[in-house]
């Protein structure tokens, strides 16, 4: 009964490769997010989708392309991976309300290591 | 721009003691939300507690309470009767804005809490 799930949990790849991370939520939420947590544990939002529509795009390189096939799924594709892309990527989801009901619930994270 | 500051990079507390984790925020908005998350060594982000800017009462969730001082722009997390399992990174976050149903959370740098037996 996992609420927000991500695959894979670990991803090790060479520079220049293309990789994808998948996210699924079964909370019935309309809004999903991608966050990046760097080596210093700093968390920053990358993208947000509401009902399959891109709403927030936070100055992320074009090599990162999110895709939302339906409101329960949000995938992240990364082209031409660079060393600086090494981080933990978190997916999250929330209801589009204003108040305690819009708490974001996070997936377990995907640790990406680029060699 | 909205900003969250957590001034304690690390804290060490004896088991069963209460602990306060500091969080100050900066915003010019009248309506905002404040959140605390816990990140244990296993890596997941666990939601702990929420405080709305118009809430008159401090939020409480079990052993967690939020000491909200609006005039000082602080939202400290208080953990009562700490347990070994409370050892983790703790992040304070603020809802910076909301647009078309999507909200942007701004996070602080985090505080690493270690509970000693």
């Amino acid at each position: 009964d996992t609420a927000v799930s991500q695959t894979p949990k670990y991803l090790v790849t060479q520079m220049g490769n293309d990789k994808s991370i998948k996210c699924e939520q079964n909370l019935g939420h309309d809004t999903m997010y991608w966050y990046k947590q760097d080596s210093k544990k700093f968390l920053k939002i990358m993208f947000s989708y509401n009902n399959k529509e891109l709403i927030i795009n936070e100055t992320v390189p074009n090599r990162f392309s999110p895709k939302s096939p339906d409101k329960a799924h949000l995938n992240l594709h990364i082209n031409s991976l660079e060393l600086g892309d090494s981080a933990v990527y978190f997916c999250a989801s929330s209801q589009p309300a204003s108040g305690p009901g819009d708490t974001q619930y996070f997936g377990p994270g995907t640790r990406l290591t680029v060699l | 721009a909205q900003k969250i500051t957590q001034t304690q990079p690390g804290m060490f507390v004896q088991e069963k003691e209460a602990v306060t984790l500091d969080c100050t925020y900066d915003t010019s908005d009248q309506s905002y939300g404040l959140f605390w998350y816990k990140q244990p060594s296993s890596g997941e982000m666990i939601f702990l507690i929420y405080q709305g800017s118009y809430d008159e009462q401090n939020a409480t969730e079990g052993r967690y309470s939020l000491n909200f001082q609006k005039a000082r722009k602080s939202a400290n997390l208080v953990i009562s009767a700490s347990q070994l399992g409370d050892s983790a990174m703790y992040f304070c976050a603020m809802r910076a804005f909301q647009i078309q149903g999507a909200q942007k959370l701004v996070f602080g740098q985090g505080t690493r809490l270690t509970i000693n037996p």
Side-chain angles (χ1 to χ4, degrees):
Chain A
D1 59 343
T2 305
V4 184
S5 59
Q6 292 179 231
T7 53
K9 188 163 174 62
Y10 299 97
L11 191 50
V12 181
T13 188
Q14 299 287 332
M15 242 181 1
N17 284 350
D18 303 338
K19 289 293 177 187
S20 291
I21 306 171
K22 295 187 175 182
C23 177
E24 176 181 1
Q25 55 95 4
N26 63 6
L27 296 168
H29 290 164
D30 289 334
T31 311
M32 296 185 73
Y33 308 82
W34 278 111
Y35 285 85
K36 179 180 180 181
Q37 185 175 42
D38 63 23
S39 58
K40 295 185 178 176
K41 299 288 190 180
F42 184 65
L43 263 161
K44 189 165 189 244
I45 190 168
M46 300 172 68
F47 301 103
S48 176
Y49 271 74
N50 184 39
N51 207 2
K52 303 191 296 175
E53 183 184 352
L54 179 64
I55 304 298
I56 297 174
N57 184 343
E58 282 282 302
T59 59
V60 178
N62 291 338
R63 299 182 295 103
F64 290 79
S65 52
K67 282 191 173 52
S68 182
D70 55 62
K71 71 177 191 176
H73 295 83
L74 180 62
N75 304 323
L76 183 66
H77 188 75
I78 316 170
N79 290 326
S80 304
L81 278 155
E82 300 178 357
L83 294 176
D85 298 332
S86 294
V88 179
Y89 292 84
F90 284 98
C91 177
S93 72
S94 73
Q95 285 289 34
S98 180
D102 64 3
T103 296
Q104 291 186 25
Y105 293 93
F106 284 74
T110 295
R111 182 175 294 277
L112 171 66
T113 304
V114 182
L115 303 174
Chain B
Q2 289 87 351
K3 188 178 177 183
I4 292 279
T5 303
Q6 294 179 252
T7 57
Q8 305 152 311
M11 283 198 64
F12 295 84
V13 172
Q14 216 53 35
E15 193 181 6
K16 297 180 186 170
E17 288 182 354
V19 56
T20 298
L21 304 182
D22 294 342
C23 172
T24 57
Y25 59 91
D26 188 18
T27 181
S28 55
D29 294 340
Q30 297 301 309
S31 176
Y32 49 89
L34 296 155
F35 302 80
W36 277 92
Y37 286 86
K38 172 184 178 181
Q39 186 175 39
S41 57
S42 50
E44 70 269 31
M45 294 285 290
I46 302 167
F47 165 70
L48 295 178
I49 197 166
Y50 167 86
Q51 179 84 41
S53 58
Y54 291 120
D55 294 341
E56 294 185 355
Q57 305 267 4
N58 285 342
T60 60
E61 288 286 348
R63 294 187 299 113
Y64 303 109
S65 60
L66 201 152
N67 184 359
F68 181 46
Q69 298 190 37
K70 198 169 181 177
R72 293 186 177 185
K73 293 191 174 178
S74 74
N76 299 339
L77 177 70
V78 180
I79 307 174
S80 62
S82 58
Q83 302 171 356
L84 296 178
D86 294 332
S87 294
M89 281 286 284
Y90 287 81
F91 292 95
C92 180
M94 177 171 62
R95 180 174 55 238
F97 67 79
Q98 183 175 239
I99 177 171
Q100 294 177 245
Q103 49 166 311
K104 176 180 173 179
L105 284 186
V106 173
F107 283 83
Q109 312 93 308
T111 295
R112 183 173 295 282
L113 175 64
T114 302
I115 307 297
N116 294 317

